[in-house]
Amino acid sequence: MSRRTLVPEAMGKLQKFKMEVANDMALDNIYSRNVYMGDVPSKEVNKMKNSGNVGGEMVRRMVEAAEKNMVDKI
């Protein structure tokens, strides 16, 4: 599967959507690289470890929006 954006004009909006989803999942301000994390509680570390779920949640929300759009057009 390709990671390219099918509609290049949507790139900025997709990035914003990703940040909104991460914020909703309480993952917005805890992911940083090359920073000492020894004092970060394990609860927060698990959130970072599961941050890959952001993409899955984005897809779930997009499918839900598309389904609602189809129902509205009927």
Side-chain angles (χ1 to χ4, degrees):
M1 174 174 248
S2 174
R3 287 186 172 215
R4 67 183 171 88
T5 303
L6 296 176
V7 181
E9 298 82 18
M11 191 61 146
K13 297 226 183 221
L14 284 172
Q15 186 65 24
K16 182 180 176 193
F17 182 50
K18 181 180 6 176
M19 293 299 113
E20 288 174 13
V21 171
N23 186 31
D24 290 349
M25 296 174 74
L27 296 171
D28 54 338
N29 291 321
I30 60 171
Y31 185 8
S32 60
R33 296 176 189 228
N34 300 323
V35 176
Y36 172 72
M37 304 278 294
D39 57 347
V40 176
S42 61
K43 177 179 165 184
E44 298 301 315
V45 172
N46 287 336
K47 286 181 185 178
M48 287 188 305
K49 187 174 93 174
N50 295 324
S51 64
N53 296 335
V54 172
E57 180 65 14
M58 288 174 67
V59 170
R60 187 191 69 72
R61 291 182 188 191
M62 286 186 259
V63 168
E64 181 181 5
E67 288 174 348
K68 286 180 181 177
N69 188 28
M70 288 191 300
V71 168
D72 291 343
K73 288 185 176 184
I74 295 177

